[in-house]
Amino acid sequence: MKKLIIIAAAVAAVAAGGAVALRAIVSQSDPIFEANVEALTRNEGGGFGPMCSQTGKSGNYRMKLCTDCDGPMGDYAMDYVAFCN
């Protein structure tokens, strides 16, 4: 009977440790990933326009600047992006 209680306690401890580890992994997120997911889901309700740069950093991708969606296309970095409406 003592072995069964010890085994049950060990299984419970391992399960609790696994749950804590899984929660720690899930709670760690990359801010760039978060920003990209937000940009991709922001316009799910309808159509969207061309991709735009939120930071305006120079780069190799042709897109608009989000603060000037009516302006010309420029070469910006693919860091924080959204879509012009």
Side-chain angles (χ1 to χ4, degrees):
M1 187 68 164
K2 284 184 180 181
K3 285 184 181 179
L4 185 60
I5 293 173
I6 292 172
I7 290 172
V11 168
V14 169
V20 168
L22 182 61
R23 184 165 174 87
I25 290 169
V26 170
S27 68
Q28 293 176 351
S29 62
D30 183 8
I32 293 176
F33 174 76
E34 295 284 332
N36 286 337
V37 168
E38 179 186 340
L40 290 171
T41 59
R42 185 178 303 151
N43 293 310
E44 283 197 66
F48 53 84
M51 195 174 348
C52 63
S53 170
Q54 294 179 346
T55 61
K57 290 182 183 176
S58 289
N60 298 326
Y61 297 94
R62 286 300 274 177
M63 65 181 85
K64 293 183 176 274
L65 188 60
C66 291
T67 57
D68 187 19
C69 284
D70 293 327
M73 299 283 257
D75 294 324
Y76 298 107
M78 184 72 76
D79 50 2
Y80 291 96
V81 297
F83 294 99
C84 289
N85 286 327

